[in-house]
């Protein structure tokens, strides 16, 4: 890899991460054909067509991925349905034990997983590590809490002692999972783990750019002991395969853009099936006047530039209290300029590449538009073809105004706009501006005050003194978006109950719900009225 010129337009050094000039990157990043074959053989894909996947690290071809047809999707559902019927009878403890085996497998095999993620996505190794980490956390959480979520629960019967009511959690059947490229291993897998635990099968359609990471996930499920037919994988453009996937699913779990989410919601509505939609965001961070500025600057770098900003919960709008604005921004800019950059497989880079030319084009367009309309670049601001074909520097903009595209539109790249605020009510109003509501972050040394402020932020998750990890990695807490950032939640009890139908079973003894012993309808109504009044006096629900 050639040595970069290490300076940003704003003057600070941007240091390249470890690189080995001896290496031929194209050769060293090639995958063994047998390895690719082992992964792609896990696909149902009979079209005879393949799609070439290139590595964003160097633009060189990585693999050819066979493509599926609508008939493959139908076959995937047929196999999944058959497997699901047996799986639903498998005891919960056996299902949970498989999840715990998966937990250990992803930790043991993390080098292989991370290599593949980096090769396919171009992200920094440390950001790729977050993916097996998230799968291990999710697998362990659901395995250990399986009974809490899935066991039959007693409810309050209408007539104490005589009406016994319990609620069963019945699996929906086969869940269709459509996932994006940005976290190609965990996004393809994490939502499916509670679906399996709840007794469902899955038909997965990962993004075309990152099929291999998703297929490795499917292989690891096989190794963990899950019946192979329970998890089907198909490959192809979402627009082509989407209708077939939604057409046979009992539930759809979608993660991706808001525009696609609306298309999917309409198709699910036609069939009256449920869906969860984890969509885009334009996430705000608030740095209050009492924030620890060093901690806030460190957190702001992670909030803005993790996975080169290609992260649904990453922060793109920063509101900083007037009293600390200059001191904070100076620290934030210095930390950003000190980041180590590189498109390599090695540890040590603070930020990797964008995934594709499309992503780079969007980021360049947003920054050029902002600069042309008067925004100032405080750090970064340009593409770095010397580091990799789709590389863009971590970029801080000041003076962004509503007529600039990046003011309200998701960039999904390493670009953050910094704004000054004078009072907190104004900061909250600006943070809540727009249509999105995914994730927010607040930095303050007063936890109570920050938690009170969090309630006013219209976002599905709010992290205090942290970027996004405090909620995202706490699998017991629900994660998802308000407004145009989505519907439904992943994680926690909502993340598993979405894949079940609740079935109430009531058993009546003694009294029946009709006049008895020759009682008239009127006498029955009077008796019921008296008992309702009595129950209220007794404080019963
Ligand atoms: P996208 O909507 O273009 O694609 C996501 C997936 O949907 C891919 O698998 C794609 O093939 C499929 N798809 C596309 N059109 C489809 C259609 N008509 N029918 C069925 N499937 C279709 O999104 P993207 O650009 O790849 O991903 C980036 C977006 O995803 C960003 O907006 C980001 O914020 C969002 N995202 C959200 C979360 C979250 O948890 N909220 C997580 C990751 C990414």
């Amino acid at each position: 890899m050639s040595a970069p010129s290490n300076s940003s337009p704003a003057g600070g050094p941007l240091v390249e991460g470890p690189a080995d000039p001896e290496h031929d990157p194209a050769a060293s990043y090639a995958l063994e054909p047998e390895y690719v074959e082992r992964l792609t053989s896990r696909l149902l894909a009979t079209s005879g067509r393949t799609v070439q996947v290139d590595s964003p690290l160097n633009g060189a071809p990585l693999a050819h991925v066979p493509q599926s047809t609508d008939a493959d999707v139908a076959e995937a559902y047929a196999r999944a349905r058959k497997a699901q019927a047996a799986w639903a009878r498998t005891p919960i403890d056996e299902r949970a034990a498989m999840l715990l085996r998966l937990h250990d497998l992803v930790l043991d095999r993390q080098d292989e997983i991370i290599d593949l993620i980096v090769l396919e996505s171009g992200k920094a190794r440390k950001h790729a590590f977050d993916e097996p980490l998230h799968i291990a956390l999710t697998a362990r959480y659901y395995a250990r809490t399986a009974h809490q979520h899935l066991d039959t629960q007693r409810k309050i019967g209408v007539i104490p002692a005589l009406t016994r009511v319990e609620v069963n959690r019945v699996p929906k059947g086969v869940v269709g999972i459509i996932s994006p490229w940005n976290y190609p291993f965990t996004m393809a897998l994490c939502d499916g783990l509670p679906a399996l635990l709840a007794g469902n099968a899955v038909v997965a359609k990962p993004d075309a750019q990152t099929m291999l990471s998703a297929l490795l996930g499917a292989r690891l499920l096989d190794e963990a002991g899950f019946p192979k037919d329970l998890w089907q994988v198909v490959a192809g453009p979402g627009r082509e395969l989407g209708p077939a996937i939604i057409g046979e699913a009992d539930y759809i779990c979608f993660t991706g853009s808001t525009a696609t989410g609306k298309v999917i919601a309409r198709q699910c509505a036609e069939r009256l099936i449920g869906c969860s939609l984890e969509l885009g965001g334009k996430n705000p961070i608030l740095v209050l006047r009492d924030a620890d500025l060093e901690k806030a600057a460190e957190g702001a770098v992670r909030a803005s530039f993790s996975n080169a900003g290609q992260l649904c919960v990453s922060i793109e709008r920063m509101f900083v209290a007037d009293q600390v604005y200059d001191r904070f921004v100076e620290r934030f800019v210095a930390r950003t300029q000190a980041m180590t950059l590189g498109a390599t497989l090695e540890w040590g880079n603070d930020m990797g590449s964008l995934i594709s030319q499309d992503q780079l084009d969007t980021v360049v367009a947003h920054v050029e538009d902002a600069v042309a309309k008067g925004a100032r670049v405080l750090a970064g601001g340009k593409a770095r073809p010397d580091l990799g074909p789709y590389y863009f520097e971590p970029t801080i903009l000041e003076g962004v105004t509503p007529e600039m595209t990046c003011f309200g539109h998701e960039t999904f790249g390493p670009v953050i706009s910094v704004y000054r605020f004078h009072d907190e009510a104004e900061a909250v109003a600006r943070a809540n501006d727009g249509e999105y509501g995914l994730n927010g972050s607040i930095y303050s040394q007063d936890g109570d005050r920050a938690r009170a402020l969090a309630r006013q932020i219209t976002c599905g998750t709010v992290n205090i003194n942290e970027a996004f990890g405090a909620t995202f990695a706490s699998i017991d807490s629900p994660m998802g978006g308000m407004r145009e950032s989505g519907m439904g939640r992943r994680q926690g009890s909502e993340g598993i109950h979405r894949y079940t139908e609740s079935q109430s079973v009531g058993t009546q003894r003694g009294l029946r719900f009709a006049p008895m012993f020759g009682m008239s309808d009127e006498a029955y109504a009077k008796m019921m009225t008296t008992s309702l009044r009595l129950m209220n006096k007794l404080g019963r629900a």
Side-chain angles (χ1 to χ4, degrees), residues 103 131 170 284 316 458 487:
H103 172 276
E131 303 207 39
V170 181
E316 297 196 358
T458 321
M487 247 169 59

Side-chain angles (χ1 to χ4, degrees), residues 130 219 231 275 284 540:
D130 291 343
R219 281 268 171 230
W231 187 277
C275 60
R540 301 292 299 243

Side-chain angles (χ1 to χ4, degrees), residues 10-127:
L14 285 167
V15 186
E16 192 196 26
D20 177 3
E22 299 299 317
H23 259 41
D24 167 6
S28 62
Y29 296 150
L31 285 168
E32 294 281 340
E34 298 76 35
Y35 184 72
V36 174
E37 163 61 24
R38 209 161 60 242
L39 294 178
T40 55
S41 65
R42 190 64 179 69
L43 268 172
L44 255 176
T46 62
S47 71
R49 283 181 291 117
T50 60
V51 160
Q52 179 175 307
V53 177
D54 300 331
S55 175
L57 291 183
N58 56 4
L62 199 57
H64 288 85
V65 177
Q67 299 294 288
S68 308
T69 61
D70 282 358
D72 293 322
V73 174
E75 176 63 20
Y77 274 100
R79 291 185 192 184
R81 279 202 194 287
K82 205 162 159 218
Q84 192 268 334
W87 179 245
R89 294 191 296 271
T90 305
I92 288 178
D93 287 335
E94 274 181 45
R95 301 181 207 156
M98 292 176 204
L99 281 185
L100 291 177
R101 281 204 288 280
L102 180 72
H103 172 276
D104 291 348
L105 262 176
V106 294
L107 296 180
D108 293 347
R109 300 269 288 280
Q110 59 176 281
D111 286 344
E112 176 190 355
I113 298 167
I114 293 172
D115 279 353
L116 199 54
I117 293 170
V118 176
L119 284 170
E120 274 200 316
S121 69
K123 66 177 69 181
R125 198 167 185 85
K126 71 175 182 182
H127 299 143

